[in-house]
Amino acid sequence: MRLLLVEDDRISADYLVKALGESGHVVDPISDGAQGLERAKSETYDLLIVDRMLPALDGLSLIEKLRQSGDDTPVLIVSALGEVDDRVRGLRAGGDDYLVKPFAFAELLARLEALARRPRGGASTPNRLSLANLELDILSRTVKRGDQKIELKPREYQILEYLMRHTGHVVTRTMLLEAVWDYHFDPETNVIDVHISRLRQKIDKGFDPPLLQTVRGAGYVLREPD
C-alpha cells in the first residue's frame, strides 16, 4: 500500500518508515500538518497515518479539512492522548481508527490492514492492481500473470507495485530510489538496473505481451505495447 505518514517526531517517523517499508509498503513522511494536508489532497494514497499534535496544523484540523474536501481516504490517528474524550474527538473529526502511543508495531500494521479491507464510498476498496493479464493483490502481496503465480522478493514487489500505481507514466530512477529504497541521493550503483532486470524476467519472460519497458535516458514504464 502507499501510505502518507504525518508525524513530527523524527525518531517515530523514521522507525515507522523503516518498519512499514520492510512490510512491503511505500511511505511518504511529512512533518507538519499543513504540508500533510496539501500532500493528501494532491496525491493518491491508500491510507493516512496522522498524529494529533502537529506544527502548522493539528491532526484533527487536517482530517476535518480533508473530509470537507470530499476525500474519504481512510485515516488512522496515532496519539499519546488516549482518554475516552480524546478518542471520541478524533473519530468525530473524521478519523477511521485511533491508536494510542506507545503501541506495538504489529497492532498498527493489523489496524492498517483492517482499514484497507473496509468498503469506501459504497464500493469495495480497490485492493488489486492490474494491467493486461498481470494482477497484483495488495493485501495478500501476491502477483499473478494469467493463471501463473509469480514469486517476487520484497524489493521486486515494491518496485512492481510502484510501477503499477503509475501505469502508463515514466518512472525515473530517482522516483524508485526514493519510493523503494528511501534514498534521497543517487548511490551511483546499478542496484535499480539489477532489480528491474530480475523483475522483467519474472513478469515478462514467457508471457505476451511484454509490459515492462525501458525508456532510454528517462526511466521505466509499465504499459501494453502500442
Side-chain angles (χ1 to χ4, degrees):
M1 293 185 290
R2 189 180 184 206
L3 310 172
L4 177 64
L5 171 64
V6 192
E7 168 64 77
D8 65 323
D9 184 297
R10 180 63 183 272
I11 294 176
S12 297
D14 288 348
Y15 169 73
L16 288 177
V17 169
K18 181 175 184 294
L20 288 166
E22 290 172 348
S23 299
H25 304 296
V26 177
V27 185
D28 290 344
I30 297 292
S31 60
D32 78 65
Q35 291 184 27
L37 178 62
E38 181 179 347
R39 181 69 67 88
K41 286 183 173 182
S42 63
E43 300 196 29
T44 301
Y45 293 95
D46 296 295
L47 290 162
L48 275 57
I49 304 172
V50 178
D51 188 19
R52 279 191 60 168
M53 309 293 286
L54 295 168
L57 183 69
D58 69 89
L60 298 193
S61 295
L62 184 162
I63 297 167
E64 288 172 342
K65 291 179 182 296
L66 193 65
R67 296 301 185 232
Q68 289 167 5
S69 71
D71 192 313
D72 66 348
T73 303
V75 178
L76 172 62
I77 299 171
V78 292
S79 177
L81 303 174
E83 298 297 325
V84 173
D85 287 346
D86 296 318
R87 300 197 300 272
V88 169
R89 286 188 63 200
L91 296 173
R92 285 181 173 168
D96 296 275
D97 198 357
Y98 197 109
L99 186 59
V100 179
K101 297 179 180 181
F103 52 79
F105 175 72
E107 182 179 2
L108 177 134
L109 191 59
R111 287 175 182 259
L112 292 175
E113 291 169 351
L115 286 175
R117 290 193 295 268
R118 290 184 185 177
R120 288 170 58 186
S124 296
T125 304
N127 293 321
R128 287 182 175 82
L129 302 173
S130 63
L131 174 66
N133 60 347
L134 176 66
E135 183 176 282
L136 181 149
D137 188 302
I138 295 170
L139 292 182
S140 64
R141 299 186 68 208
T142 56
V143 176
K144 293 196 305 182
R145 184 95 196 248
D147 295 328
Q148 183 173 329
K149 186 175 180 180
I150 299 173
E151 298 292 339
L152 297 180
K153 293 182 178 179
R155 294 287 192 198
E156 295 166 352
Y157 174 88
Q158 288 177 274
I159 292 171
L160 180 60
E161 181 180 349
Y162 192 83
L163 288 168
M164 293 189 77
R165 290 187 182 278
H166 296 80
T167 294
H169 298 280
V170 175
V171 172
T172 66
R173 288 174 54 88
T174 299
M175 291 167 69
L176 286 174
L177 285 169
E178 291 183 351
V180 178
W181 279 269
D182 196 29
Y183 288 170
H184 296 276
F185 63 93
D186 190 338
E188 298 183 354
T189 69
N190 67 341
V191 61
I192 291 180
D193 301 320
V194 170
H195 280 79
I196 287 287
S197 177
R198 291 173 180 168
L199 180 60
R200 182 179 278 120
Q201 285 288 314
K202 292 181 178 182
I203 68 170
D204 275 346
K205 187 175 182 180
F207 298 102
D208 190 59
L211 300 175
L212 181 50
Q213 302 170 32
T214 299
V215 181
R216 191 172 299 278
Y220 309 95
V221 61
L222 200 66
R223 65 187 175 200
E224 294 188 70
D226 297 332

